[in-house]
Amino acid sequence: MLNEPPPQSPARIETVRVTRVETDGRFTRLSFHAPEQAKRALAGQFFQVTCHPADEIDSFHTIPLSPLLNRPFSINRWIEDGFSILFEMVGPGTRRLGASKQGDRITVLGPLGQGLAEIPPHVQHLVLIAGGIGVAAFTAFAQLAQQRGVACSLYYGVNRGTDLALRNPRRKGYQSRLLDEFDSLGCRCALSSMLDGSFFPGTVVDLLERDRQENCVPFGDPVEGILMIGCGPWAMINALAKWAMPYQIPCFLLIEEMMGCGLGICRSCVVPGYDIREDGTKTPRNIAVCREGPLIAAERIDWEKKWE
Amino acid sequence: MGMKDNGEFIDMRVDLAGMELRNPVILSSGTWGYGVEAPDIIEQVDSSRLGGIALKGIFYEPRCGNPTPRLAETSGGLLNAIGLEGVGVKAMAEEVLPCLHPRKTRIFVNICGTSREEYARITGELVQKAWDLFDVIEVNISCPNLDCGGMEFGTDPKSAAEVAGAVRKAAEGKPVFVKLAPLVTDISSIALAVAETGAEGLSLVNTYPAMLIDLDRRKPVLAKNFGGLSGPAIKPMALRAVCLVRKALKTHALSTAIIGMGGISSGRDALEFLVAGADAISLGTINFVNPLAYEKILSAMEEIMRDRFAQTGNPEDLRVRFWSGTLTLN
Ligand SMILES: Cc1cc2nc3c(=O)[nH]c(=O)nc-3n(C[C@H](O)[C@H](O)[C@H](O)COP(=O)(O)OP(=O)(O)OC[C@H]3O[C@@H](n4cnc5c(N)ncnc54)[C@H](O)[C@@H]3O)c2cc1C
Ligand SMILES: Cc1cc2nc3c(=O)[nH]c(=O)nc-3n(C[C@H](O)[C@H](O)[C@H](O)COP(=O)(O)O)c2cc1C
Ligand code: FES
């Protein structure tokens, strides 16, 4: 509340235009004409997006009542004149947004939270680990890695082969537009599927462990120069954090919690965590994901209390 | 005073228990934090366009609040069970309030306690350490999300009056507003009991106790099982509470001020609360939809007032204080 770091980039409320809608019926990507917002945003930051087109709000400021709250979405990637968000249509808000048309005007608040301002100089390889729709935030990280000339790998775990986002079965390559993009950004992709044999059979963390055992890129012996960033369901990021610890691989997570305001005001999105001083001492406190996250060092989370 | 219009000024000033507010729009406790959390957004808040801000509630000691999920959405509203995560009175007096100073708007410090003594102790400390830094003590006896304290004082006229009396005594003349729970057998009798202690005002209303169920898991959605419902869904009920309390106060020749709140999300909503008997209104949940909603709502109120004046030619329609309590019941 009082001891949170200042915002990394100033948030604004603005109405932007949808320039492109891509969908496979389950996942949708909206691109916005928003050059200013895109310039301010960092990989890992998010926007609070109003689910209704702005033109539905009349001059008396009577707003559509359902869904009422804005929905948080990570910046998926930068485009020439703005940025995109990519989401799975899982409920009323994402379905309403998914029905947006090119030319619709949508109100967005952001960029919000803490993202990755820069890849630290000692990092030679950025390793992104996604569970399901957690992949949505990662194109921006791959873009950053490419710009900085840092190697990048994506580990992407799904339940079944058909769960890949932005699928296009007629396409060659990965049969997913999203993965083709990672490919063209020079980001190596490794896939796992837990429930069918489409890809490596197991969880994405099982896949990481296999690659480490076989000393596959990016894992040398010893494992060094790596920065890992994970995003996905709680059970997955917890497993990832546990896995990374013994190898002392720096591990950051993009955390999702139910959000009200997105600004650190309502205290709905807190996770139990710590402040860690340089001498290693930990002071417990609630971390507001929307202000101090979504990008949070794995060791700052009090996993035991989270699972209580 | 506002814009010039057809040779007439639009006047948004209101009198709230003897205090002048620039306009009747206040931000509700718990929905704008301590006014310091989002400096980049606050920078865009024109505090000269804001009647006041009620800060997030505090207990005497800092608190870490309830487990998550603490918030869930429902049709036209949301449920929260934040559990008053807060900084405590020391940090309020020494860190938060000095940060908000100098300010152009009225500051309401919202307090909660587990006993009458705790309410009085917080008040005493605020008065002693930060007298110049705030304008009103808002006494929350209506939080539905606590294991002890909060609403237990707000459901019975006698204990509500005891808390109000204790705070008033400790407040040494700072205006005291008591925030009432809406889901009670007879809100008017509680309001009257509080008003008779001499409390300067009433904040009506807090959230309605409610729950949501996750059918798949057959579990409540919120970690604390129950929460408080706020947002547009409660507006008609909150309006009724304001109307009933104003009527009861009038009957007893009491002129206690009322801040009306509950689901206000448009200029129309805001004026309806004034007409029902509120002297000022407060915005809560709508701040989560748009943290600068107050601007739009204020402008919309002015637009409606101008339209009304254009029809009636009555200059009182351009003075928002003359809208208060103009409801005629059938
Ligand atoms: C910082 C952040 C970034 C996010 N980025 C993306 C993204 O890039 N792409 C994407 O598809 N989704 C993202 N999400 C999740 C997304 O916000 C939710 O899927 C969305 O709000 C669901 O809204 P709905 O009305 O469609 O469904 P609802 O009916 O509201 O919810 C459907 C399901 O989603 C869960 N949910 C609701 N709100 C949230 C939330 N704020 N966080 C996590 N789970 C939630 C609910 O518990 C429920 O199980 C992000 C969440 C956060 C906190
Ligand atoms: C997330 C949240 C936190 C709240 N915290 C407080 C609080 O600390 N003290 C208090 O008196 N009321 C609190 N309230 C109640 C509001 O101030 C307000 O009375 C209520 O939400 C009804 O108004 P609304 O429908 O406009 O939101 C809170 C409400 C919400 C939604
Ligand atoms: S969403 Fe409101 S504090 Fe994080």
Side-chain angles (χ1 to χ4, degrees):
Chain A
M1 279 169 284
L2 298 179
N3 40 7
E4 280 158 3
Q8 275 177 319
S9 34
R12 296 280 179 268
I13 304 166
E14 279 150 323
T15 299
V16 297
R17 200 160 28 78
V18 177
T19 52
R20 189 163 172 217
V21 182
E22 299 158 82
T23 186
D24 59 12
R26 177 167 159 202
F27 298 92
T28 298
R29 178 153 70 182
L30 300 182
S31 294
F32 300 121
H33 173 77
E36 285 307 310
Q37 292 86 343
K39 216 184 296 167
R40 290 199 307 270
L42 303 171
Q45 285 189 309
F46 69 101
F47 285 82
Q48 283 276 70
V49 180
T50 309
C51 299
H52 308 270
D55 302 316
E56 285 180 14
I57 300 177
D58 70 13
S59 68
F60 296 123
H61 194 255
T62 315
I63 50 157
L65 298 185
S66 209
L68 182 67
L69 295 174
N70 302 325
R71 298 294 194 260
F73 297 102
S74 309
I75 158 164
N76 164 245
R77 57 161 187 181
W78 288 280
I79 50 175
E80 205 173 309
D81 65 339
F83 69 95
S84 306
I85 58 171
L86 167 64
F87 52 89
E88 182 171 3
M89 294 181 281
V90 291
T94 43
R95 276 199 295 272
R96 181 70 193 79
L97 259 183
S100 303
K101 307 242 164 1
Q102 194 181 337
D104 279 354
R105 291 171 352 106
I106 304 255
T107 303
V108 301
L109 164 62
L112 299 168
Q114 312 280 327
L116 187 65
E118 203 38 87
I119 302 177
H122 64 273
V123 172
Q124 290 147 29
H125 206 121
L126 188 63
V127 181
L128 310 169
I129 304 101
I133 186 59
V135 75
F138 282 154
T139 314
F141 285 94
Q143 286 177 312
L144 178 68
Q146 190 199 34
Q147 269 173 17
R148 299 294 183 266
V150 171
C152 185
S153 295
L154 170 72
Y155 286 81
Y156 179 14
V158 288
N159 286 330
R160 297 186 175 75
T162 48
D163 293 334
L164 292 183
L166 293 187
R167 249 160 47 87
N168 182 347
R170 287 187 304 268
R171 241 176 142 92
K172 292 209 188 74
Y174 286 109
Q175 304 200 335
S176 150
R177 186 180 308 175
L178 189 71
L179 288 176
D180 291 345
E181 263 170 32
F182 278 99
D183 214 25
S184 61
L185 288 165
C187 175
R188 169 182 158 270
C189 300
L191 306 178
S192 72
S193 59
M194 218 159 35
L195 302 181
D196 71 4
S198 302
F199 315 116
F200 172 82
T203 69
V204 72
V205 177
D206 297 336
L207 178 57
L208 277 173
E209 174 58 17
R210 187 209 59 183
D211 279 7
R212 192 205 56 84
Q213 280 175 11
E214 297 182 0
N215 286 347
C216 287
V217 178
F219 301 102
D221 188 16
V223 182
E224 43 182 33
I226 291 181
L227 175 63
M228 294 208 316
I229 300 178
C231 184
W234 271 100
M236 178 227 132
I237 57 174
N238 188 189
L240 175 66
K242 271 199 195 133
W243 178 83
M245 210 166 338
Y247 307 117
Q248 296 189 321
I249 306 176
C251 179
F252 282 77
L253 304 168
L254 283 168
I255 299 213
E256 289 188 11
E257 267 297 334
M258 183 62 201
M259 286 188 179
C261 64
L263 294 166
I265 283 170
C266 70
R267 311 304 296 176
S268 66
C269 67
V270 299
V271 293
Y274 308 101
D275 274 334
I276 304 179
R277 263 191 262 129
E278 266 172 30
D279 64 4
T281 46
K282 292 178 165 184
T283 326
R285 75 173 166 90
N286 283 341
I287 299 177
V289 171
C290 67
R291 279 286 273 112
E292 291 193 67
L295 192 67
I296 297 177
E299 64 268 20
R300 283 198 63 201
I301 293 164
D302 181 346
W303 296 98
E304 268 170 40
K305 199 156 172 213
K306 170 70 197 168
W307 293 124
E308 252 170 30
Chain B
M1 251 180 280
M3 210 182 300
K4 212 170 177 203
D5 196 73
N6 300 335
E8 294 279 349
F9 282 104
I10 191 153
D11 184 355
M12 296 304 281
R13 290 172 307 170
V14 293
D15 173 273
L16 190 69
M19 273 179 305
E20 184 178 290
L21 264 55
R22 270 191 181 78
N23 65 56
V25 180
I26 299 168
L27 304 177
S28 303
S29 179
T31 62
W32 243 105
Y34 295 120
V36 295
E37 287 88 342
D40 45 341
I41 293 292
I42 286 164
E43 205 180 85
Q44 298 167 65
V45 173
D46 178 358
S47 61
S48 68
R49 292 271 291 163
L50 202 55
I53 169 166
L55 308 180
K56 173 73 191 164
I58 51 162
F59 275 79
Y60 192 84
E61 297 292 343
R63 280 168 61 95
C64 60
N66 289 333
T68 58
R70 294 175 168 186
L71 186 119
E73 189 171 333
T74 181
S75 305
L78 57 88
L79 267 69
N80 90 79
I82 306 293
L84 282 158
E85 175 171 350
V87 295
V89 70
K90 188 166 185 288
M92 173 61 74
E94 292 171 7
E95 294 174 56
V96 176
L97 291 173
C99 250
L100 296 171
H101 196 77
R103 62 187 197 272
K104 295 195 206 120
T105 193
R106 300 281 182 186
I107 306 284
F108 295 62
V109 179
N110 183 283
I111 66 168
C112 201
T114 49
S115 65
R116 207 187 332 160
E117 290 70 32
E118 183 172 0
Y119 281 101
R121 215 148 49 99
I122 304 172
T123 309
E125 198 142 327
L126 286 168
V127 162
Q128 221 175 49
K129 290 191 178 158
W131 177 264
D132 292 334
L133 304 182
F134 69 100
D135 300 284
V136 175
I137 293 178
E138 183 174 55
V139 188
N140 178 0
I141 51 168
S142 42
C143 181
N145 302 324
L146 305 169
D147 292 331
C148 63
M151 205 166 82
E152 77 190 54
F153 299 106
T155 47
D156 164 60
K158 188 163 161 272
S159 48
E162 279 171 7
V163 173
V167 172
R168 263 210 97 230
K169 202 161 143 222
E172 295 179 16
K174 271 281 172 203
V176 172
F177 276 60
V178 180
K179 188 158 176 178
L180 300 190
L183 199 65
V184 290
T185 314
D186 178 15
I187 194 165
S188 302
S189 61
I190 298 173
L192 285 174
V194 168
E196 273 157 8
T197 68
E200 282 76 4
L202 296 162
S203 299
L204 303 172
V205 293
N206 210 318
T207 55
Y208 285 77
M211 86 180 296
L212 283 172
I213 290 176
D214 178 337
L215 191 58
D216 294 335
R217 294 166 52 236
R218 298 202 181 187
K219 298 267 283 181
V221 173
L222 295 174
K224 282 296 277 187
N225 297 330
F226 309 112
L229 176 64
S230 64
I234 70 169
K235 191 196 91 178
M237 297 187 286
L239 261 180
R240 174 177 179 271
V242 169
C243 169
L244 287 178
V245 169
R246 178 53 79 205
K247 190 168 151 237
L249 290 171
K250 259 191 198 153
T251 314
H252 289 76
L254 289 162
S255 59
T256 316
I258 295 179
I259 303 174
M261 70 191 91
I264 299 176
S265 64
S266 70
R268 265 179 197 288
D269 293 346
L271 287 166
E272 285 171 17
F273 272 84
L274 294 181
V275 166
D279 303 287
I281 60 97
S282 194
L283 307 176
T285 301
I286 192 69
N287 296 317
F288 299 162
V289 180
N290 178 350
L292 304 178
Y294 78 92
E295 259 289 341
K296 304 209 165 168
I297 288 171
L298 191 57
S299 308
M301 290 170 78
E302 291 169 354
E303 191 183 327
I304 296 167
M305 290 164 63
R306 271 193 219 99
D307 284 354
R308 175 86 183 175
F309 172 69
Q311 283 166 24
T312 63
N314 179 359
E316 286 193 355
D317 285 335
L318 289 174
R319 296 187 172 77
V320 79
R321 60 180 171 278
F322 290 115
W323 286 63
S324 281
T326 50
L327 181 77
T328 29
L329 287 172
N330 300 319

